[in-house]
Each structure stands twice: as C-alpha cells, then as structure tokens.
Amino acid sequence: MKKKMLLLNTTVLLGLGGVLSTPAYASTIQDMESQKSQIQNQRQDVQSNIKAASDELTRLQAEQDQMKAQLERLTIAEEENNKKAQKTEADIKETSKQVEQLEKEIKLLQEKLEKRNDILKDRARSLQESGGNVEYLQVLLGSSSFSDFVDRALAVSTIVDADRGILTETKNMQDELKTKQADVKSKLASLEDMKAELDEMTVQLAAQKKQKDALAKELKDKEAKNEELKASLQSKDSSLANEQSTLEQNIKDQKAAEEAARKAAEQAAKEAAKKAAEQAQKAAAAPAEKADSSSSAKAEAPKVSSNDVAPTSAPAPKASNVVTVGNRWIGNSAYVFGGGRSQSDINHGLFDCSSFVHWAYAQVGVNLGPLGSVSTETLKHAGTQVSSSQMQPGDLVFFDTYKKDGHVGIYVGGGKFIGAQSSTGVAIANMSSGYWKQKFNGRVVRI
C-alpha cells in the first residue's frame, strides 16, 4: 500500500512540475527579453546621438547669441557713423560758404590795390615832371614789383605826407590780403581733410554694412539648420518613445498572460492533487481486489502534460600683455569713428583705432592721456620714435589712410598688428603685405 501511495504522489508531483515548466511560455519570454535587449541597445545609441545633437544645439545657440550681439554693435556703429557723416557734410557746406566769402573779400582787396597802384603811379609821374625828390624816383624805378615798391617807399623819409598815408594804408591792405589768403589756404586744406575723412567713413560704412549683411545671412542659415536639426531630434525622440511604449506594453501583456497561466496551472495542479488524494483514499478503504482494480484503472488515467508551466527565475596684468589683451574683442566689436571714449561704448565694444590703443594700454596699467581727447596725433607723441627696423611687439605703428597718420595699431610681431579696423572692428591684420603694407608710413612709437 505504501509503495502504491508513493507511486501516486510521485505521479502527481511530476504532473504539477510539468504544468509549471511549460516550454511554450519560456520560448515567448526569451524572445521578448531578446527583443527588449535589442531595443535597449538601440535606445542607448539614439540617446547618445540625442546628447550629441543637444550639445550641438547649445553651441549653435551660443554662437547665435554672439552673432546677434555683434549685429547690434554693427547697427549702433552704423547709426553713429551716419551721424558723423551727416555732421561732416554739414561742416563741409559751412566751410565752403566761408571760403566763397573770403574769395569775394580778396577780390575786393585786389581791386582796391589796383586803384592804389594807379594813384601812386600818377603821383610819381607828376613828381618827376615837376623835378621832385630824386630818391623817391629811385625807389620807384628800382622796385621789382608793386609790393616791393610799397616796402621801399615806406622806408624813404622824404615822402610827402599824402603819399605816406596812401602807402601805409596800402601796406596794411597788403598784410590783410596775405593773412586772408593764408586763412583761405588753411580753410581749403581743412576742407580737403574733411572731404577725405568723409570718403573714408563712407568706405567704412559700406564695409560694416557688408559685414552686417554677411553675418545676418550666416545667422539665418544657422537658424534654419538649427531648426532642421531640432525637428529631426524631436522626430527621433518621438519614434523612440513610441517604440519603447509598445515594448513596455507587450512585456506587460506577456507578464499578465504568464501570471494568468501560472495561476491556472497551480489551480489545475491543486485540483489534480486533490482528486488523486481522494482516489487514493478510496483505494485504501476498498477490498484488496477492488484496490487492485482501482490501481489498475488509475494507472491507465491520462497524465498531465509536462509542457504547460514555465520554471521560475530572477594673475596681475603685465605691460607685455598689451599685444593680447584686445583678443577678447575680436569678433565682438565694431568700428565707430570717434567711439570708445565713454564707458558705454567700451562695454558694447565700440572703438575707433586710437581709443582701442588707449584702452589696451590702460588694461596693463599704462595711461596714454585723457580718454576724451585721445587721437592718432596725441598717440604719435606719446612715446619714443624708433626705427621700423627695430620694431618689436607692443610698439605703436601708424598708417596713412584718409590723412597722414590717420590709423594706429599695436604691433604683435610676425609682421602683424592688432587694431580697430573700419571693416572688421578689433582684429589682427597683416602689415607685411597688401593694403596695410601700402599704408604703413614707417612711424613706430615705443611706449
């Protein structure tokens, strides 16, 4: 009997083990885990690409911000230079009027002198005819020009009072004429300088406008690429999220199905065990012949499949730095004629050539005079003149642009200098070839 009960219990346990280790579920779970592993690896790659793209977006945004700031500087520079151009044009018109007025006054003086000349000639002729002063006649005859005659006649002490008055007045008129002629020449020279300055400013404005347009186009192109990259990343992220969501739902569904199957298998095993126990009890209580018959019948009972249930599883600044302190403004500044003489201009990176040099030296503790009055003229007298053959980093170098010594920069070595240029703002330029080589006048000042 005990042997029969052991055999029955073994049969029940084998049946239960078969239900709990169904290979069909194991195969499904294995496929799901493999698929999950593949998608996780794919997501890691995508996430890595997203991070790289995000870093690129951050860099592009910073570059865009920098370009926007530069565009704002160029806009301010353009406005300030336009104001200067308009003022210069007004000064030119006003000076032209003054020149015209001076020319009229000179013409009147010349007419008066011609009349005085005729009067003196008549007086000298009358004096000769009446046997007058010979010394006076010698003065007249010995003079090389009318101006010379006036100077000679005033030196003669025997001239009649009437003639002396005319000559004195004539001499005063001559002096006035010379003074006004000098004024006219000075005005004309100033006018030419202003005209040259205006022409140079026009070139500067055109260069700055061209630079602004180029930056605007570059900004627009990069913004378009940025948006395209952003849209691509968003699409990838959305696709990845959908795929992940689908996988998670599939895994959830599969686990739910597995749990349901497990519970069903456990329930079936319990019912089978209960039924087997009941049958065993009946077999033990029945006569031996019936027990043999029952055991025989039980041996022929269908067995539970073993493929129904899955198994369980689980420093301080130095003077030598003057050649590099301005590097911070490269690409972050704009040229404004007369700019850089206020803290607001400096904060916005708005310089002209002389104010930039003044600022750079101030950064290393060297004062080049009052900021408000700094110019190429003051800077060329700020230090010691040295030969261009002895030029070394930190020296000031001068160029003849719209006027002599119209531009200044700081020599950095290797045939290059740093300065505020009209078309680029603060930049390093080559003075050993091209435009700046032609404009370099050889003046070098060592501070």
Side-chain angles (χ1 to χ4, degrees):
M1 178 62 69
K2 289 183 179 180
K3 186 176 182 179
K4 291 181 179 179
M5 287 296 294
L6 180 61
L7 179 62
L8 179 61
N9 290 337
T10 301
T11 303
V12 171
L13 290 174
L14 287 174
L16 179 59
V19 172
L20 293 176
S21 59
T22 307
Y25 285 109
S27 176
T28 302
I29 290 175
Q30 185 177 3
D31 291 343
M32 290 287 288
E33 290 296 339
S34 176
Q35 183 182 5
K36 180 180 178 180
S37 178
Q38 291 175 3
I39 293 178
Q40 284 177 333
N41 291 336
Q42 182 183 3
R43 186 176 183 185
Q44 287 178 354
D45 292 339
V46 173
Q47 288 292 342
S48 177
N49 292 335
I50 288 176
K51 184 180 183 305
S54 297
D55 291 343
E56 179 67 7
L57 282 170
T58 301
R59 187 191 68 79
L60 285 175
Q61 187 60 54
E63 189 174 348
Q64 288 183 58
D65 293 342
Q66 184 178 1
M67 282 192 291
K68 287 178 180 177
Q70 181 67 357
L71 285 172
E72 291 175 0
R73 291 188 195 96
L74 290 175
T75 299
I76 294 173
E78 189 175 34
E79 291 173 354
E80 292 299 320
N81 283 339
N82 276 328
K83 290 177 183 178
K84 179 65 177 178
Q86 292 171 3
K87 184 179 184 303
T88 304
E89 188 67 36
D91 290 342
I92 289 175
K93 291 180 180 179
E94 181 62 28
T95 305
S96 297
K97 291 179 182 179
Q98 293 176 6
V99 170
E100 291 176 3
Q101 183 62 32
L102 285 173
E103 289 177 345
K104 290 179 181 179
E105 292 178 7
I106 290 173
K107 185 177 181 181
L108 290 175
L109 283 174
Q110 289 175 337
E111 291 175 355
K112 288 181 181 180
L113 286 176
E114 289 175 2
K115 291 179 181 180
R116 293 291 186 272
N117 189 20
D118 293 339
I119 292 173
L120 290 174
K121 284 182 179 178
D122 291 340
R123 287 184 179 279
R125 194 176 296 109
S126 297
L127 183 61
Q128 183 181 17
E129 291 173 353
S130 63
N133 190 299
V134 177
E135 186 179 7
Y136 186 42
L137 293 176
Q138 289 176 343
V139 168
L140 176 61
L141 295 175
S143 60
S144 59
S145 65
F146 178 69
S147 177
D148 185 32
F149 164 72
V150 173
D151 292 334
R152 285 167 175 262
L154 288 175
V156 177
S157 61
T158 58
I159 302 175
V160 294
D161 292 339
D163 286 352
R164 181 178 295 278
I166 293 175
L167 289 171
T168 300
E169 183 182 359
T170 302
K171 176 63 175 175
N172 293 337
M173 293 174 68
Q174 277 188 319
D175 292 342
E176 185 180 357
L177 174 62
K178 290 179 181 179
T179 300
K180 290 196 174 184
Q181 282 178 330
D183 289 343
V184 169
K185 290 180 180 179
S186 178
K187 289 284 185 182
L188 287 175
S190 177
L191 180 63
E192 289 173 355
D193 285 345
M194 282 193 289
K195 183 63 170 63
E197 182 179 338
L198 179 61
D199 291 343
E200 178 67 16
M201 287 178 61
T202 300
V203 173
Q204 294 168 3
L205 287 172
Q208 289 184 355
K209 184 65 167 62
K210 183 178 180 180
Q211 183 182 15
K212 186 175 75 171
D213 291 342
L215 285 172
K217 185 179 183 302
E218 184 179 355
L219 176 62
K220 185 177 181 180
D221 291 344
K222 288 194 174 185
E223 284 179 343
K225 290 179 180 179
N226 191 8
E227 290 300 326
E228 183 179 350
L229 179 59
K230 183 178 179 180
S232 176
L233 287 174
Q234 288 175 336
S235 176
K236 260 190 184 304
D237 187 60
S238 177
S239 176
L240 181 62
N242 290 337
E243 191 171 355
Q244 181 179 356
S245 177
T246 300
L247 175 62
E248 290 175 349
Q249 186 60 46
N250 289 342
I251 292 175
K252 183 179 179 180
D253 293 344
Q254 184 61 32
K255 285 183 176 181
E258 178 185 351
E259 181 65 15
R262 185 185 66 79
K263 288 181 178 181
E266 287 180 350
Q267 184 63 30
K270 288 179 180 180
E271 291 178 354
K274 182 179 179 181
K275 184 176 181 180
E278 291 175 350
Q279 290 176 350
Q281 289 177 356
K282 289 180 181 179
E289 62 274 9
K290 289 183 179 180
D292 293 338
S293 176
S294 174
S295 296
S296 176
K298 189 170 185 63
E300 295 176 359
K303 296 182 180 180
V304 179
S305 174
S306 62
N307 297 323
D308 293 336
V309 181
T312 57
S313 63
K318 298 180 181 179
S320 59
N321 293 339
V322 72
V323 299
T324 58
V325 293
N327 289 350
R328 58 171 289 196
W329 294 117
I330 296 176
N332 298 305
S333 62
Y335 182 94
V336 175
F337 195 94
R341 287 162 179 78
S342 69
Q343 193 57 48
S344 176
D345 278 359
I346 293 174
N347 291 343
H348 288 87
L350 305 177
F351 296 97
D352 65 8
C353 61
S354 53
S355 66
F356 170 74
V357 169
H358 187 283
W359 174 87
Y361 268 92
Q363 303 313 296
V364 296
V366 179
N367 186 357
L368 296 182
L371 176 59
S373 59
V374 65
S375 67
T376 54
E377 289 298 314
T378 64
L379 291 177
K380 74 181 184 181
H381 300 297
T384 304
Q385 302 278 335
V386 298
S387 170
S388 60
S389 63
Q390 298 176 337
M391 188 163 49
Q392 63 185 30
D395 290 343
L396 304 187
V397 287
F398 291 79
F399 306 84
D400 293 342
T401 51
Y402 71 94
K403 67 176 183 178
K404 186 170 180 59
D405 298 318
H407 189 71
V408 63
I410 301 171
Y411 187 65
V412 299
K416 297 179 180 180
F417 74 98
I418 185 171
Q421 275 69 263
S422 61
S423 60
T424 60
V426 176
I428 294 176
N430 190 346
M431 58 183 289
S432 60
S433 64
Y435 175 82
W436 292 111
K437 180 180 179 180
Q438 297 173 0
K439 296 298 181 180
F440 178 53
N441 61 19
R443 185 187 298 279
V444 180
V445 174
R446 184 161 297 160
I447 303 300

